[in-house]
């Protein structure tokens, strides 16, 4: 897999692996490099993952989830299911998950270390469409945030998806306040 290039990692089946890497939501890569499409991103059906998750739990393997997002808005305006939902299912089965990514501060700190020292933290802003992951993550890392209302919370905010992929409508401020209270966050800016 291209995202493993340059790392000292060898693909293996869950029956032989040292850990499970949960990085995407559309296929399972096995030890022989075979790619099995799951259809999960569109359907939300986790059944294609059951053998891998069950084997991992049975062997006590830790899962590393590199994208904790639960859902996304796809280009057609429909919701898609993301790796975080797979990792949550692993935890429900009794597995242990090491989370890396939004909203965990370690993810943001790793990114900040890549910036030149001349850029102060106060000049960094995180932009995203998830109050649970993007805005909470920015808060956890003590960064400013721009909340994109036309993303995964669009319907909750009274916005409508257009066939072109855009949004129409005005943000319902009362709904925005309610959502922010639910997730215990307050974005610096909402767009």
């Amino acid at each position: 897999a291209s995202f493993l290039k340059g790392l000292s990692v060898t693909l293996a089946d869950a029956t032989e692996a040292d850990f499970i890497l949960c990085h995407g939501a559309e296929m399972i890569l096995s030890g022989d490099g075979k790619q099995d499409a799951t259809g999960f991103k569109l359907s939300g059906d986790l059944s294609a993952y059951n053998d891998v998750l069950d084997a991992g739990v049975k062997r006590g393997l830790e899962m590393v989830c590199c994208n904790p997002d639960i859902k996304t808005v796809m280009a057609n305006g429909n919701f898609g299911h993301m790796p975080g939902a797979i990792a949550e299912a692993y935890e429900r089965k009794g597995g242990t998950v090491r989370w890396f990514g939004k909203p965990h501060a370690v993810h943001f700190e790793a990114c900040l270390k890549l910036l030149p020292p001349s850029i102060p933290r106060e000049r960094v802003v995180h932009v995203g469409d998830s109050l649970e992951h993007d805005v909470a993550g920015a808060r956890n890392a003590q960064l400013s945030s721009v909340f994109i209302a036309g993303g995964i919370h669009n319907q909750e905010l009274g916005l409508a998806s257009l066939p072109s992929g855009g949004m129409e409508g005005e943000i319902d401020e009362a709904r925005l306040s309610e959502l922010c209270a639910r997730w215990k966050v307050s974005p610096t800016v909402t767009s």
Side-chain angles (χ1 to χ4, degrees):
S2 63
F3 61 91
L4 297 174
K5 192 173 186 174
L7 300 176
S8 296
V9 175
T10 303
L11 292 176
D13 290 329
T15 57
E16 300 173 356
D18 295 325
F19 66 95
I20 298 172
L21 176 64
C22 185
H23 168 266
E26 299 183 87
M27 67 182 57
I28 298 171
L29 299 176
S30 60
D32 60 6
K34 182 180 167 202
Q35 299 180 2
D36 292 323
T38 65
F40 173 73
K41 188 170 185 179
L42 296 176
S43 71
D45 179 5
L46 287 160
S47 60
Y49 293 98
N50 281 335
D51 289 346
V52 172
L53 300 181
D54 291 343
V57 169
K58 183 177 180 180
R59 294 190 57 232
L61 297 181
E62 183 174 65
M63 174 184 279
V64 178
C65 181
C66 297
N67 183 353
D69 285 347
I70 305 298
K71 64 182 179 177
T72 188
V73 177
M74 299 189 312
N76 64 4
N78 293 333
F79 289 112
H81 305 275
M82 298 295 284
I86 300 166
E88 285 182 343
Y90 192 63
E91 286 184 324
R92 285 192 302 273
K93 288 177 173 281
T96 300
V97 176
R98 181 178 303 229
W99 299 90
F100 184 82
K102 309 167 295 179
H104 307 282
V106 66
H107 163 79
F108 290 87
E109 294 302 327
C111 294
L112 290 169
K113 286 180 182 176
L114 297 174
L115 295 174
S118 61
I119 299 177
R121 176 183 219 97
E122 297 76 31
R123 299 220 4 114
V124 176
V125 63
H126 180 74
V127 179
D129 69 341
S130 169
L131 292 170
E132 179 184 12
H133 292 106
D134 295 305
V135 176
R139 178 206 57 212
N140 293 344
Q142 300 175 337
L143 297 173
S144 297
S145 61
V146 175
F147 170 55
I148 305 300
I152 65 169
H153 297 291
N154 66 9
Q155 295 171 356
E156 296 167 285
L157 293 171
L159 301 173
S161 299
L162 298 172
S164 65
M167 293 288 144
E168 70 177 350
E170 296 293 321
I171 297 170
D172 183 317
E173 294 296 330
R175 290 182 182 182
L176 176 61
S177 294
E178 182 182 303
L179 273 174
C180 289
R182 183 185 326 153
W183 293 111
K184 298 177 178 68
V185 297
S186 181
T188 310
V189 175
T190 297
S191 175

